[in-house]
Amino acid sequence: MDQLALFFTLMLAAIVMVPLGDRVKLPPPVLMTLFGGVLALIPQVPNVRIDPELILPLVLPPLLYAASQRTSWRQFAANRRAISLLAVALVSVTTAAVAVVVNAVVPGITVAAACALGALVAPPDPVAATAVAGSLGLPRRMISILEGEGLFNDVNAIVLYHVAVAAALSGEFSLPHAALELVESAVVALVVGLALGWGANKLMGVVGDATLQIGLSLLVPFASYALAEELHGSGVLAVLTCALFLAEHAFEADDVKARLAGNTFWEIVDTLVTGIAFGLIGLELHHVFNVGEGNWGPMLRDA
């Protein structure tokens, strides 16, 4: 099996896992991760090699844009205090708590490296949270808070991660500098997101046709992410800002056809990209087996 065939296999599995997940009461991303792990155990399946610098720019923008289609600026504004506490305060506290524990338990690890690990595990996965919330029948307001927090917690976590990695490489860490970098990153992202959202909205009005508008919406999240990152802002926040702006202004209230077509298109994108992403996570077992060969005892003990 070559990598192109593996790619199409993951897309097919992403579609099949949706009804299967409903039947076995498990979120499709969990099933895709397990499926990828099973594929990794098959010798004929190739080890997938993707440039790490391409993962976030290719996967995050469409997933964030698709997720933002399920919420609105009004919902976020109504629950802004709870969302801010969860997405900013809780993620920061979790990062610090994990860093303290890891620094105390793992010999020789630096504080900056421990903070980087804390930032990686601090934001909870919004897919799992909303899937569990739906199965429990929680109130709609609580689900809206979880969805909003799931959108914005990655913004804080990724900035914290970048600051920690920079500190680990340079050997220097300044809390005021980190806070200033966080503010600057957010401001740049908001400006980029609003500017591209406004420009895309005007261009959608010019092209008119719903098909062309949806095609343009596919390019917008990638452009927002890339431009914000180029200007040293948060690409995640830029995509979310642009997406929420377009969700409020892109289509007329009575343009039912365009809204239905757009929602359907982004649901398909969300299903396929999420499935491929979690399938690739399972396929990472290839690399884990190679790295862990002969070291399983110490690795399992540390885990």
Side-chain angles (χ1 to χ4, degrees):
M1 177 184 291
D2 59 20
Q3 295 202 9
L4 182 60
L6 178 60
F7 178 76
F8 285 111
T9 301
L10 290 177
M11 285 200 296
L12 175 61
I15 296 172
V16 173
M17 293 304 173
V18 175
L20 180 61
D22 293 336
R23 179 166 297 183
V24 300
K25 306 301 181 184
L26 282 175
V30 174
L31 296 177
M32 282 301 302
T33 305
L34 295 174
F35 178 72
V38 171
L39 288 179
L41 300 176
I42 302 175
Q44 289 77 16
V45 175
N47 187 14
V48 179
R49 298 182 181 275
I50 302 177
D51 187 345
E53 294 186 359
L54 295 178
I55 291 293
L56 288 181
L58 289 178
V59 173
L60 264 184
L63 287 181
L64 291 170
Y65 194 94
S68 69
Q69 303 303 299
R70 297 190 291 268
T71 185
S72 68
W73 176 254
R74 294 183 182 89
Q75 289 178 339
F76 172 75
N79 302 304
R80 61 185 179 278
R81 182 176 183 274
I83 292 174
S84 299
L85 286 173
L86 291 171
V88 179
L90 182 58
V91 168
S92 300
V93 170
T94 305
T95 300
V98 172
V100 170
V101 173
V102 171
N103 185 250
V105 172
V106 181
I109 192 170
T110 64
V111 174
C115 288
L117 178 59
L120 282 174
V121 302
D125 175 41
V127 175
T130 52
V132 172
S135 64
L136 293 176
L138 296 180
R140 179 58 202 168
R141 179 175 181 274
M142 187 174 293
I143 295 178
S144 296
I145 292 174
L146 288 174
E147 290 175 344
E149 186 267 345
L151 287 174
F152 285 91
N153 58 22
D154 285 336
V155 177
N156 188 32
I158 289 177
V159 173
L160 291 174
Y161 174 76
H162 285 166
V163 171
V165 170
L169 294 176
S170 65
E172 299 179 357
F173 176 76
S174 170
L175 183 59
H177 175 72
L180 178 62
E181 184 174 338
L182 178 62
V183 173
E184 290 178 347
S185 176
V187 171
V188 170
L190 290 172
V191 172
V192 170
L194 289 173
L196 285 183
W198 180 84
N201 183 45
K202 294 297 183 183
L203 188 55
M204 286 180 181
V206 173
V207 298
D209 183 72
T211 303
L212 299 178
Q213 291 176 341
I214 295 170
L216 180 61
S217 72
L218 181 61
L219 302 178
V220 168
F222 295 103
S224 302
Y225 187 94
L227 181 57
E229 289 290 321
E230 185 69 22
L231 298 176
H232 304 290
S234 169
V236 174
L237 184 56
V239 173
L240 291 176
T241 303
C242 182
L244 289 175
F245 182 92
L246 289 176
E248 293 292 323
H249 301 94
F251 299 110
E252 299 292 337
D254 58 350
D255 194 352
V256 178
K257 178 183 176 181
R259 287 187 177 276
L260 289 177
N263 291 338
T264 301
F265 172 80
W266 280 106
E267 285 178 5
I268 295 171
V269 171
D270 189 25
T271 299
L272 293 178
V273 177
T274 299
I276 292 172
F278 280 88
L280 290 175
I281 292 174
L283 283 166
E284 281 295 300
L285 278 179
H286 264 307
H287 182 66
V288 172
F289 289 146
N290 293 333
V291 173
E293 187 175 1
N295 299 311
W296 287 107
M299 289 176 63
L300 291 174
R301 185 182 64 250
D302 292 340

